[in-house]
Amino acid sequence: MSEKHIQCEDETLIIAIDGPAASGKSTTARLVADKLGYMYIDTGAMYRAVTLKTIRRFGAQYTEEDVAALLPETHIELRREDNHSAHTSIKVFLDDEEVTSDIRSQEVSAEVSRVSAIPRVRERLVALQREMSKNERVVLDGRDIGTVVFPHADVKVYLVASIEERARRRQKELQDQSAATLNASIDDLAARLATRDRFDSTRDHSPLSCAPDALRLDTTNMTIECQVEAVLELASQGIKKI
Ligand code: DC
């Protein structure tokens, strides 16, 4: 893959990558950020961190008010770790505790759509995402980056893939993480992804949707290298409107 250099007039250059669960957003966004030397913000990790705190405090019995009351005392940080490998990794901190793998549990995945649909959670995290991006060159991935967080992002990409392919990717991810989840079948994972997609795309507040000016990329049969190349190509052209 060739190195790309982006010419931009503005101080800030925002690359927004949205799409449904397991469509390859975070891997693509992280590699694009690595290539360009940009900051990477995994906004899903931020919603997951609030969900983890909610579950720890209330279990599955909580109201919107309960979650909203947690927000002023919640501190989320994404710390970049340069571990001397080819790629930088991001560690997630919740109130100064490292929760990078805790936020990927099945319990959090099952609850995160509900927590992230709460308007006050969204307002708080969107404000934080904008603040973190101030005067930075950033790649953000999520569900509403190109539509709500940065509707004027310089580059917008919307990744999709078939549900079977996304379930396969999620199964591999889980297998890489822990032997305990080896039993999750493709059908089971596909059903869970479909439920989450439905919830995320039908909620009232900033639902998952493709911005009209985003490049829609079906990654079902694409390698991760091709996905990264496609985003870099778009970025190098400085395309704002397709
Ligand atoms: O990308 P992910 O699977 O880690 O995201 C977890 C959940 O967080 C997802 O189901 C919906 C929510 N989310 C959101 O509502 N808005 C974002 N910008 C990112 C994630």
Side-chain angles (χ1 to χ4, degrees):
M1 213 184 305
S2 58
E3 287 293 336
K4 306 273 173 174
H5 296 285
I6 290 188
Q7 301 294 321
C8 68
E9 289 155 18
D10 303 329
E11 258 312 289
T12 304
L13 200 144
I14 304 279
I15 300 178
I17 303 183
D18 289 304
S23 55
K25 298 182 303 294
S26 44
T27 312
T28 305
R30 190 171 44 78
L31 290 171
V32 167
D34 263 357
K35 272 276 169 198
L36 298 173
Y38 280 28
M39 186 204 274
Y40 165 49
I41 300 180
D42 176 353
T43 64
M46 298 167 74
Y47 288 95
R48 285 173 178 274
V50 174
T51 305
L52 178 65
K53 184 157 175 167
T54 302
I55 295 173
R56 283 178 173 176
R57 188 70 63 90
F58 305 110
Q61 303 295 322
Y62 55 85
T63 62
E64 286 196 21
E65 292 302 321
D66 290 332
V67 183
L70 291 181
L71 295 171
E73 49 164 270
T74 300
H75 181 70
I76 297 167
E77 217 183 317
L78 304 180
R79 288 188 203 156
R80 191 186 157 118
E81 301 256 311
D82 194 355
N83 53 11
H84 304 293
S85 70
H87 306 299
T88 46
S89 64
I90 303 292
K91 300 262 188 244
V92 183
F93 286 79
L94 171 65
D95 302 329
D96 274 334
E97 175 197 347
E98 205 222 301
V99 293
T100 313
S101 51
D102 305 62
I103 60 166
R104 305 283 160 200
S105 71
Q106 294 291 3
E107 291 74 21
V108 171
S109 297
E111 214 57 39
V112 66
S113 285
R114 193 175 149 205
V115 171
S116 60
I118 298 172
R120 272 176 289 177
V121 172
R122 302 207 68 79
E123 279 153 24
R124 176 76 184 213
L125 293 189
V126 167
L128 185 56
Q129 289 153 19
R130 289 182 180 148
E131 182 61 34
M132 289 162 78
S133 306
K134 225 173 186 173
N135 302 321
E136 298 280 352
R137 295 177 173 200
V138 194
V139 183
L140 302 101
D141 79 314
R143 302 294 188 286
D144 60 342
I145 309 302
T147 50
V148 174
V149 186
F150 288 112
H152 303 295
D154 303 84
V155 175
K156 294 185 190 181
V157 182
Y158 190 83
L159 297 184
V160 292
S162 73
I163 187 83
E164 295 80 15
E165 176 59 22
R166 291 191 286 130
R168 264 193 294 278
R169 290 177 190 170
R170 183 46 52 89
Q171 189 183 51
K172 175 154 189 333
E173 206 177 282
L174 290 171
Q175 286 171 346
D176 289 346
Q177 275 167 21
S178 133
T181 52
L182 278 176
N183 291 331
S185 73
I186 293 285
D187 286 351
D188 187 28
L189 290 170
R192 281 188 236 171
L193 287 175
T195 303
R196 194 138 66 91
D197 287 350
R198 201 165 42 245
F199 205 104
D200 292 344
S201 51
T202 56
R203 68 185 176 214
D204 292 339
H205 202 303
S206 35
L208 165 69
S209 69
C210 179
D213 54 350
L215 171 73
R216 190 182 167 96
L217 212 56
D218 186 338
T219 69
T220 306
N221 298 308
M222 285 175 89
T223 61
I224 193 68
E225 288 80 10
C226 287
Q227 295 173 39
V228 171
E229 194 64 48
V231 178
L232 289 172
E233 188 58 41
L234 191 61
S236 70
Q237 293 165 23
I239 291 177
K240 291 192 181 191
K241 300 264 183 270
I242 307 291

